[in-house]
Each structure stands twice: as structure tokens, then as C-alpha cells.
mmCIF file of all heavy atoms in Angstrom:
data_model
loop_
_atom_site.group_PDB
_atom_site.id
_atom_site.type_symbol
_atom_site.label_atom_id
_atom_site.label_comp_id
_atom_site.label_asym_id
_atom_site.label_seq_id
_atom_site.Cartn_x
_atom_site.Cartn_y
_atom_site.Cartn_z
ATOM 1 N N VAL A 1 143.605 -80.315 16.161
ATOM 2 C CA VAL A 1 142.368 -79.702 15.704
ATOM 3 C C VAL A 1 141.211 -80.194 16.575
ATOM 4 O O VAL A 1 141.126 -81.380 16.899
ATOM 5 C CB VAL A 1 142.088 -80.049 14.229
ATOM 6 C CG1 VAL A 1 140.725 -79.533 13.792
ATOM 7 C CG2 VAL A 1 143.185 -79.492 13.337
ATOM 8 N N VAL A 2 140.321 -79.276 16.939
ATOM 9 C CA VAL A 2 139.118 -79.623 17.692
ATOM 10 C C VAL A 2 137.913 -79.075 16.941
ATOM 11 O O VAL A 2 137.923 -77.926 16.494
ATOM 12 C CB VAL A 2 139.143 -79.011 19.111
ATOM 13 C CG1 VAL A 2 137.898 -79.441 19.893
ATOM 14 C CG2 VAL A 2 140.398 -79.418 19.856
ATOM 15 N N THR A 3 136.876 -79.898 16.779
ATOM 16 C CA THR A 3 135.629 -79.426 16.165
ATOM 17 C C THR A 3 134.459 -79.788 17.069
ATOM 18 O O THR A 3 134.456 -80.820 17.730
ATOM 19 C CB THR A 3 135.393 -80.046 14.775
ATOM 20 O OG1 THR A 3 135.269 -81.468 14.885
ATOM 21 C CG2 THR A 3 136.533 -79.723 13.829
ATOM 22 N N ILE A 4 133.465 -78.912 17.092
ATOM 23 C CA ILE A 4 132.202 -79.166 17.790
ATOM 24 C C ILE A 4 131.081 -78.876 16.818
ATOM 25 O O ILE A 4 130.985 -77.769 16.278
ATOM 26 C CB ILE A 4 132.074 -78.283 19.053
ATOM 27 C CG1 ILE A 4 133.165 -78.616 20.063
ATOM 28 C CG2 ILE A 4 130.690 -78.470 19.681
ATOM 29 C CD1 ILE A 4 133.102 -77.786 21.337
ATOM 30 N N GLY A 5 130.253 -79.880 16.561
ATOM 31 C CA GLY A 5 129.160 -79.700 15.601
ATOM 32 C C GLY A 5 129.645 -79.331 14.219
ATOM 33 O O GLY A 5 128.952 -78.610 13.498
ATOM 34 N N GLY A 6 130.838 -79.780 13.864
ATOM 35 C CA GLY A 6 131.394 -79.477 12.551
ATOM 36 C C GLY A 6 132.120 -78.155 12.464
ATOM 37 O O GLY A 6 132.672 -77.817 11.410
ATOM 38 N N HIS A 7 132.160 -77.382 13.546
ATOM 39 C CA HIS A 7 132.827 -76.081 13.553
ATOM 40 C C HIS A 7 134.203 -76.185 14.210
ATOM 41 O O HIS A 7 134.346 -76.770 15.285
ATOM 42 C CB HIS A 7 131.986 -75.045 14.302
ATOM 43 C CG HIS A 7 130.657 -74.776 13.684
ATOM 44 N ND1 HIS A 7 130.507 -74.063 12.514
ATOM 45 C CD2 HIS A 7 129.401 -75.148 14.059
ATOM 46 C CE1 HIS A 7 129.232 -73.981 12.197
ATOM 47 N NE2 HIS A 7 128.535 -74.633 13.126
ATOM 48 N N HIS A 8 135.185 -75.591 13.580
ATOM 49 C CA HIS A 8 136.560 -75.558 14.078
ATOM 50 C C HIS A 8 136.619 -74.625 15.294
ATOM 51 O O HIS A 8 136.296 -73.440 15.206
ATOM 52 C CB HIS A 8 137.479 -75.053 12.959
ATOM 53 C CG HIS A 8 138.934 -75.214 13.226
ATOM 54 N ND1 HIS A 8 139.598 -74.513 14.208
ATOM 55 C CD2 HIS A 8 139.869 -76.007 12.630
ATOM 56 C CE1 HIS A 8 140.871 -74.853 14.209
ATOM 57 N NE2 HIS A 8 141.069 -75.756 13.265
ATOM 58 N N VAL A 9 137.041 -75.151 16.441
ATOM 59 C CA VAL A 9 136.973 -74.399 17.687
ATOM 60 C C VAL A 9 137.833 -73.141 17.654
ATOM 61 O O VAL A 9 137.449 -72.094 18.191
ATOM 62 C CB VAL A 9 137.344 -75.298 18.882
ATOM 63 C CG1 VAL A 9 137.615 -74.481 20.133
ATOM 64 C CG2 VAL A 9 136.233 -76.296 19.158
ATOM 65 N N SER A 10 138.991 -73.200 17.036
ATOM 66 C CA SER A 10 139.878 -72.032 17.008
ATOM 67 C C SER A 10 139.479 -71.007 15.962
ATOM 68 O O SER A 10 139.591 -69.794 16.177
ATOM 69 C CB SER A 10 141.325 -72.482 16.765
ATOM 70 O OG SER A 10 141.772 -73.308 17.830
ATOM 71 N N ARG A 11 138.988 -71.457 14.794
ATOM 72 C CA ARG A 11 138.648 -70.541 13.693
ATOM 73 C C ARG A 11 137.219 -70.010 13.777
ATOM 74 O O ARG A 11 136.949 -68.881 13.408
ATOM 75 C CB ARG A 11 138.847 -71.233 12.344
ATOM 76 C CG ARG A 11 140.296 -71.489 11.974
ATOM 77 C CD ARG A 11 140.413 -71.703 10.466
ATOM 78 N NE ARG A 11 139.514 -72.752 9.988
ATOM 79 C CZ ARG A 11 139.890 -73.998 9.734
ATOM 80 N NH1 ARG A 11 141.155 -74.359 9.901
ATOM 81 N NH2 ARG A 11 139.022 -74.888 9.303
ATOM 82 N N ASP A 12 136.298 -70.869 14.243
ATOM 83 C CA ASP A 12 134.866 -70.514 14.232
ATOM 84 C C ASP A 12 134.356 -70.326 15.652
ATOM 85 O O ASP A 12 133.357 -70.917 16.059
ATOM 86 C CB ASP A 12 134.053 -71.623 13.523
ATOM 87 C CG ASP A 12 134.620 -71.986 12.168
ATOM 88 O OD1 ASP A 12 135.119 -71.083 11.483
ATOM 89 O OD2 ASP A 12 134.564 -73.178 11.802
ATOM 90 N N ARG A 13 135.037 -69.472 16.400
ATOM 91 C CA ARG A 13 134.747 -69.372 17.824
ATOM 92 C C ARG A 13 133.320 -68.907 18.100
ATOM 93 O O ARG A 13 132.658 -69.399 19.014
ATOM 94 C CB ARG A 13 135.758 -68.436 18.505
ATOM 95 C CG ARG A 13 137.188 -68.956 18.415
ATOM 96 C CD ARG A 13 138.199 -67.947 18.909
ATOM 97 N NE ARG A 13 138.162 -67.831 20.357
ATOM 98 C CZ ARG A 13 138.921 -66.972 21.038
ATOM 99 N NH1 ARG A 13 139.734 -66.164 20.397
ATOM 100 N NH2 ARG A 13 138.860 -66.935 22.351
ATOM 101 N N GLU A 14 132.804 -67.950 17.340
ATOM 102 C CA GLU A 14 131.457 -67.440 17.595
ATOM 103 C C GLU A 14 130.407 -68.515 17.320
ATOM 104 O O GLU A 14 129.441 -68.653 18.079
ATOM 105 C CB GLU A 14 131.189 -66.198 16.747
ATOM 106 C CG GLU A 14 132.059 -64.996 17.127
ATOM 107 C CD GLU A 14 131.969 -64.676 18.612
ATOM 108 O OE1 GLU A 14 130.829 -64.630 19.152
ATOM 109 O OE2 GLU A 14 133.019 -64.474 19.243
ATOM 110 N N GLU A 15 130.600 -69.277 16.233
ATOM 111 C CA GLU A 15 129.649 -70.358 15.933
ATOM 112 C C GLU A 15 129.671 -71.418 17.030
ATOM 113 O O GLU A 15 128.621 -71.927 17.449
ATOM 114 C CB GLU A 15 129.986 -71.002 14.578
ATOM 115 C CG GLU A 15 129.658 -70.150 13.367
ATOM 116 C CD GLU A 15 130.758 -69.129 13.069
ATOM 117 O OE1 GLU A 15 131.716 -69.034 13.846
ATOM 118 O OE2 GLU A 15 130.632 -68.426 12.050
ATOM 119 N N VAL A 16 130.879 -71.735 17.519
ATOM 120 C CA VAL A 16 130.997 -72.733 18.581
ATOM 121 C C VAL A 16 130.324 -72.243 19.854
ATOM 122 O O VAL A 16 129.614 -72.990 20.545
ATOM 123 C CB VAL A 16 132.482 -73.074 18.844
ATOM 124 C CG1 VAL A 16 132.635 -73.908 20.122
ATOM 125 C CG2 VAL A 16 133.072 -73.825 17.657
ATOM 126 N N ARG A 17 130.518 -70.976 20.183
ATOM 127 C CA ARG A 17 129.949 -70.436 21.428
ATOM 128 C C ARG A 17 128.426 -70.425 21.412
ATOM 129 O O ARG A 17 127.796 -70.447 22.467
ATOM 130 C CB ARG A 17 130.501 -69.032 21.677
ATOM 131 C CG ARG A 17 131.956 -69.049 22.101
ATOM 132 C CD ARG A 17 132.551 -67.667 22.207
ATOM 133 N NE ARG A 17 133.960 -67.748 22.623
ATOM 134 C CZ ARG A 17 134.764 -66.699 22.718
ATOM 135 N NH1 ARG A 17 134.305 -65.491 22.424
ATOM 136 N NH2 ARG A 17 136.015 -66.853 23.095
ATOM 137 N N ARG A 18 127.824 -70.377 20.221
ATOM 138 C CA ARG A 18 126.370 -70.487 20.146
ATOM 139 C C ARG A 18 125.892 -71.903 20.456
ATOM 140 O O ARG A 18 124.752 -72.103 20.881
ATOM 141 C CB ARG A 18 125.869 -70.074 18.752
ATOM 142 C CG ARG A 18 126.067 -68.593 18.435
ATOM 143 C CD ARG A 18 125.402 -68.205 17.132
ATOM 144 N NE ARG A 18 125.703 -66.822 16.797
ATOM 145 C CZ ARG A 18 126.650 -66.447 15.923
ATOM 146 N NH1 ARG A 18 127.369 -67.363 15.301
ATOM 147 N NH2 ARG A 18 126.856 -65.173 15.669
ATOM 148 N N LEU A 19 126.774 -72.858 20.231
ATOM 149 C CA LEU A 19 126.407 -74.266 20.435
ATOM 150 C C LEU A 19 126.622 -74.747 21.861
ATOM 151 O O LEU A 19 126.010 -75.724 22.277
ATOM 152 C CB LEU A 19 127.240 -75.162 19.502
ATOM 153 C CG LEU A 19 126.971 -75.109 18.015
ATOM 154 C CD1 LEU A 19 127.974 -75.990 17.277
ATOM 155 C CD2 LEU A 19 125.547 -75.590 17.728
ATOM 156 N N ILE A 20 127.507 -74.099 22.608
ATOM 157 C CA ILE A 20 127.951 -74.652 23.890
ATOM 158 C C ILE A 20 127.447 -73.834 25.080
ATOM 159 O O ILE A 20 127.161 -72.650 24.973
ATOM 160 C CB ILE A 20 129.493 -74.745 23.971
ATOM 161 C CG1 ILE A 20 130.129 -73.345 23.962
ATOM 162 C CG2 ILE A 20 130.042 -75.625 22.858
ATOM 163 C CD1 ILE A 20 131.622 -73.342 24.244
ATOM 164 N N GLY A 21 127.356 -74.526 26.210
ATOM 165 C CA GLY A 21 127.174 -73.882 27.509
ATOM 166 C C GLY A 21 128.302 -74.357 28.396
ATOM 167 O O GLY A 21 128.472 -75.565 28.598
ATOM 168 N N TYR A 22 129.106 -73.433 28.901
ATOM 169 C CA TYR A 22 130.318 -73.772 29.667
ATOM 170 C C TYR A 22 130.151 -73.337 31.116
ATOM 171 O O TYR A 22 129.896 -72.164 31.406
ATOM 172 C CB TYR A 22 131.530 -73.088 29.038
ATOM 173 C CG TYR A 22 132.787 -73.092 29.892
ATOM 174 C CD1 TYR A 22 133.297 -74.271 30.417
ATOM 175 C CD2 TYR A 22 133.460 -71.904 30.148
ATOM 176 C CE1 TYR A 22 134.443 -74.275 31.204
ATOM 177 C CE2 TYR A 22 134.617 -71.892 30.923
ATOM 178 C CZ TYR A 22 135.101 -73.081 31.449
ATOM 179 O OH TYR A 22 136.242 -73.062 32.215
ATOM 180 N N MET A 23 130.318 -74.292 32.025
ATOM 181 C CA MET A 23 130.259 -74.004 33.452
ATOM 182 C C MET A 23 131.599 -74.399 34.072
ATOM 183 O O MET A 23 131.891 -75.585 34.225
ATOM 184 C CB MET A 23 129.124 -74.792 34.102
ATOM 185 C CG MET A 23 128.943 -74.512 35.585
ATOM 186 S SD MET A 23 127.483 -75.388 36.209
ATOM 187 C CE MET A 23 127.667 -75.109 37.958
ATOM 188 N N PRO A 24 132.448 -73.426 34.421
ATOM 189 C CA PRO A 24 133.754 -73.748 34.996
ATOM 190 C C PRO A 24 133.628 -74.258 36.424
ATOM 191 O O PRO A 24 132.543 -74.178 37.035
ATOM 192 C CB PRO A 24 134.489 -72.401 34.953
ATOM 193 C CG PRO A 24 133.416 -71.375 34.970
ATOM 194 C CD PRO A 24 132.235 -71.981 34.266
ATOM 195 N N ASP A 25 134.734 -74.789 36.946
ATOM 196 C CA ASP A 25 134.689 -75.319 38.309
ATOM 197 C C ASP A 25 134.460 -74.216 39.333
ATOM 198 O O ASP A 25 133.802 -74.425 40.347
ATOM 199 C CB ASP A 25 135.961 -76.116 38.631
ATOM 200 C CG ASP A 25 137.232 -75.368 38.262
ATOM 201 O OD1 ASP A 25 137.143 -74.299 37.654
ATOM 202 O OD2 ASP A 25 138.323 -75.870 38.585
ATOM 203 N N PHE A 26 134.999 -73.014 39.078
ATOM 204 C CA PHE A 26 134.712 -71.859 39.922
ATOM 205 C C PHE A 26 134.160 -70.762 39.030
ATOM 206 O O PHE A 26 134.860 -70.254 38.161
ATOM 207 C CB PHE A 26 135.977 -71.364 40.635
ATOM 208 C CG PHE A 26 136.543 -72.374 41.594
ATOM 209 C CD1 PHE A 26 137.636 -73.140 41.243
ATOM 210 C CD2 PHE A 26 135.971 -72.546 42.844
ATOM 211 C CE1 PHE A 26 138.160 -74.084 42.125
ATOM 212 C CE2 PHE A 26 136.487 -73.481 43.731
ATOM 213 C CZ PHE A 26 137.578 -74.252 43.375
ATOM 214 N N PHE A 27 132.882 -70.431 39.203
ATOM 215 C CA PHE A 27 132.266 -69.433 38.333
ATOM 216 C C PHE A 27 131.850 -68.222 39.161
ATOM 217 O O PHE A 27 131.478 -68.325 40.325
ATOM 218 C CB PHE A 27 131.052 -70.016 37.602
ATOM 219 C CG PHE A 27 129.967 -70.541 38.505
ATOM 220 C CD1 PHE A 27 128.924 -69.718 38.902
ATOM 221 C CD2 PHE A 27 130.007 -71.842 38.966
ATOM 222 C CE1 PHE A 27 127.936 -70.194 39.741
ATOM 223 C CE2 PHE A 27 129.021 -72.328 39.814
ATOM 224 C CZ PHE A 27 127.986 -71.506 40.209
ATOM 225 N N GLY A 28 131.952 -67.055 38.541
ATOM 226 C CA GLY A 28 131.593 -65.832 39.226
ATOM 227 C C GLY A 28 130.089 -65.593 39.174
ATOM 228 O O GLY A 28 129.437 -65.868 38.167
ATOM 229 N N ILE A 29 129.525 -65.102 40.264
ATOM 230 C CA ILE A 29 128.116 -64.723 40.274
ATOM 231 C C ILE A 29 128.001 -63.313 40.839
ATOM 232 O O ILE A 29 128.834 -62.885 41.641
ATOM 233 C CB ILE A 29 127.258 -65.698 41.107
ATOM 234 C CG1 ILE A 29 127.850 -65.869 42.513
ATOM 235 C CG2 ILE A 29 127.093 -67.035 40.416
ATOM 236 C CD1 ILE A 29 126.991 -66.708 43.418
ATOM 237 N N TYR A 30 126.983 -62.601 40.395
ATOM 238 C CA TYR A 30 126.747 -61.248 40.891
ATOM 239 C C TYR A 30 125.852 -61.352 42.122
ATOM 240 O O TYR A 30 124.627 -61.360 42.028
ATOM 241 C CB TYR A 30 126.090 -60.401 39.797
ATOM 242 C CG TYR A 30 126.905 -60.347 38.535
ATOM 243 C CD1 TYR A 30 126.378 -60.747 37.308
ATOM 244 C CD2 TYR A 30 128.231 -59.900 38.563
ATOM 245 C CE1 TYR A 30 127.134 -60.697 36.143
ATOM 246 C CE2 TYR A 30 128.997 -59.841 37.405
ATOM 247 C CZ TYR A 30 128.439 -60.253 36.205
ATOM 248 O OH TYR A 30 129.195 -60.206 35.058
ATOM 249 N N GLU A 31 126.480 -61.431 43.290
ATOM 250 C CA GLU A 31 125.758 -61.771 44.519
ATOM 251 C C GLU A 31 124.709 -60.743 44.907
ATOM 252 O O GLU A 31 123.769 -61.060 45.632
ATOM 253 C CB GLU A 31 126.746 -61.963 45.669
ATOM 254 C CG GLU A 31 127.653 -63.169 45.492
ATOM 255 C CD GLU A 31 128.495 -63.431 46.724
ATOM 256 O OE1 GLU A 31 128.674 -62.495 47.528
ATOM 257 O OE2 GLU A 31 128.961 -64.571 46.880
ATOM 258 N N GLU A 32 124.861 -59.508 44.446
ATOM 259 C CA GLU A 32 123.910 -58.460 44.843
ATOM 260 C C GLU A 32 122.630 -58.500 44.016
ATOM 261 O O GLU A 32 121.635 -57.851 44.364
ATOM 262 C CB GLU A 32 124.558 -57.076 44.731
ATOM 263 C CG GLU A 32 124.808 -56.580 43.314
ATOM 264 C CD GLU A 32 126.080 -57.148 42.688
ATOM 265 O OE1 GLU A 32 126.707 -58.032 43.308
ATOM 266 O OE2 GLU A 32 126.420 -56.707 41.574
ATOM 267 N N LEU A 33 122.630 -59.244 42.915
ATOM 268 C CA LEU A 33 121.435 -59.354 42.079
ATOM 269 C C LEU A 33 120.467 -60.386 42.651
ATOM 270 O O LEU A 33 120.852 -61.286 43.391
ATOM 271 C CB LEU A 33 121.809 -59.765 40.649
ATOM 272 C CG LEU A 33 122.574 -58.768 39.787
ATOM 273 C CD1 LEU A 33 122.804 -59.362 38.403
ATOM 274 C CD2 LEU A 33 121.831 -57.448 39.685
ATOM 275 N N LYS A 34 119.204 -60.259 42.226
ATOM 276 C CA LYS A 34 118.231 -61.299 42.517
ATOM 277 C C LYS A 34 118.333 -62.383 41.438
ATOM 278 O O LYS A 34 118.840 -62.153 40.341
ATOM 279 C CB LYS A 34 116.818 -60.718 42.566
ATOM 280 C CG LYS A 34 116.629 -59.728 43.712
ATOM 281 C CD LYS A 34 115.228 -59.125 43.692
ATOM 282 C CE LYS A 34 115.062 -58.122 44.837
ATOM 283 N NZ LYS A 34 113.730 -57.484 44.834
ATOM 284 N N VAL A 35 117.839 -63.562 41.769
ATOM 285 C CA VAL A 35 117.949 -64.715 40.868
ATOM 286 C C VAL A 35 117.359 -64.394 39.497
ATOM 287 O O VAL A 35 117.982 -64.641 38.456
ATOM 288 C CB VAL A 35 117.244 -65.945 41.493
ATOM 289 C CG1 VAL A 35 117.075 -67.054 40.468
ATOM 290 C CG2 VAL A 35 118.018 -66.451 42.704
ATOM 291 N N GLU A 36 116.160 -63.846 39.468
ATOM 292 C CA GLU A 36 115.504 -63.532 38.199
ATOM 293 C C GLU A 36 116.274 -62.471 37.422
ATOM 294 O O GLU A 36 116.411 -62.558 36.187
ATOM 295 C CB GLU A 36 114.083 -63.053 38.483
ATOM 296 C CG GLU A 36 113.224 -62.875 37.243
ATOM 297 C CD GLU A 36 111.789 -62.556 37.607
ATOM 298 O OE1 GLU A 36 111.579 -61.836 38.617
ATOM 299 O OE2 GLU A 36 110.883 -63.021 36.901
ATOM 300 N N GLU A 37 116.801 -61.473 38.110
ATOM 301 C CA GLU A 37 117.588 -60.422 37.454
ATOM 302 C C GLU A 37 118.843 -61.009 36.808
ATOM 303 O O GLU A 37 119.239 -60.600 35.703
ATOM 304 C CB GLU A 37 117.992 -59.354 38.473
ATOM 305 C CG GLU A 37 116.829 -58.530 39.003
ATOM 306 C CD GLU A 37 117.235 -57.609 40.144
ATOM 307 O OE1 GLU A 37 118.270 -57.884 40.800
ATOM 308 O OE2 GLU A 37 116.529 -56.622 40.377
ATOM 309 N N TYR A 38 119.465 -61.934 37.495
ATOM 310 C CA TYR A 38 120.700 -62.551 37.004
ATOM 311 C C TYR A 38 120.457 -63.266 35.668
ATOM 312 O O TYR A 38 121.204 -63.065 34.691
ATOM 313 C CB TYR A 38 121.191 -63.532 38.070
ATOM 314 C CG TYR A 38 122.454 -64.286 37.752
ATOM 315 C CD1 TYR A 38 123.700 -63.692 37.880
ATOM 316 C CD2 TYR A 38 122.404 -65.629 37.382
ATOM 317 C CE1 TYR A 38 124.867 -64.409 37.625
ATOM 318 C CE2 TYR A 38 123.564 -66.344 37.130
ATOM 319 C CZ TYR A 38 124.791 -65.735 37.254
ATOM 320 O OH TYR A 38 125.940 -66.446 37.005
ATOM 321 N N LEU A 39 119.401 -64.069 35.617
ATOM 322 C CA LEU A 39 119.114 -64.809 34.387
ATOM 323 C C LEU A 39 118.617 -63.871 33.285
ATOM 324 O O LEU A 39 118.935 -64.074 32.104
ATOM 325 C CB LEU A 39 118.089 -65.906 34.662
ATOM 326 C CG LEU A 39 118.563 -67.036 35.580
ATOM 327 C CD1 LEU A 39 117.446 -68.059 35.788
ATOM 328 C CD2 LEU A 39 119.803 -67.719 35.015
ATOM 329 N N THR A 40 117.860 -62.851 33.665
ATOM 330 C CA THR A 40 117.389 -61.873 32.677
ATOM 331 C C THR A 40 118.562 -61.143 32.026
ATOM 332 O O THR A 40 118.580 -60.906 30.820
ATOM 333 C CB THR A 40 116.436 -60.867 33.342
ATOM 334 O OG1 THR A 40 115.300 -61.564 33.862
ATOM 335 C CG2 THR A 40 115.972 -59.822 32.339
ATOM 336 N N PHE A 41 119.561 -60.809 32.832
ATOM 337 C CA PHE A 41 120.752 -60.137 32.301
ATOM 338 C C PHE A 41 121.446 -61.003 31.256
ATOM 339 O O PHE A 41 121.773 -60.532 30.159
ATOM 340 C CB PHE A 41 121.720 -59.812 33.437
ATOM 341 C CG PHE A 41 123.083 -59.384 32.971
ATOM 342 C CD1 PHE A 41 123.288 -58.135 32.406
ATOM 343 C CD2 PHE A 41 124.169 -60.248 33.078
ATOM 344 C CE1 PHE A 41 124.548 -57.749 31.959
ATOM 345 C CE2 PHE A 41 125.425 -59.871 32.637
ATOM 346 C CZ PHE A 41 125.616 -58.626 32.074
ATOM 347 N N PHE A 42 121.658 -62.283 31.569
ATOM 348 C CA PHE A 42 122.367 -63.139 30.615
ATOM 349 C C PHE A 42 121.526 -63.440 29.384
ATOM 350 O O PHE A 42 122.061 -63.586 28.277
ATOM 351 C CB PHE A 42 122.828 -64.427 31.307
ATOM 352 C CG PHE A 42 124.091 -64.247 32.093
ATOM 353 C CD1 PHE A 42 124.063 -64.067 33.469
ATOM 354 C CD2 PHE A 42 125.329 -64.222 31.454
ATOM 355 C CE1 PHE A 42 125.233 -63.874 34.186
ATOM 356 C CE2 PHE A 42 126.501 -64.036 32.154
ATOM 357 C CZ PHE A 42 126.456 -63.850 33.530
ATOM 358 N N ALA A 43 120.205 -63.526 29.543
ATOM 359 C CA ALA A 43 119.352 -63.683 28.369
ATOM 360 C C ALA A 43 119.479 -62.469 27.451
ATOM 361 O O ALA A 43 119.526 -62.594 26.222
ATOM 362 C CB ALA A 43 117.900 -63.878 28.803
#
């Protein structure tokens, strides 16, 4: 069992995802976008 902030990672996935920011070792970026556009999209 894994919990983050009291939420069960497997059962309460949406609640956990609101709590976390995950940066993998290799992450995809939209190279054709501008920096501001990229962050605006994710916001």
C-alpha cells in the first residue's frame, strides 16, 4: 500500500494527482510551441 497526503495511490488516483507534480527522467515537450504557450496550455 502507498499513500500520499493520506490518499491511497491506487484507489484515490485523482486526489493524489492534485497533490503531486511528476517530472520523469525523459519528458516530452511540444517543441513548436513558445514557452508561454506551453505553460498556458498546461494551466
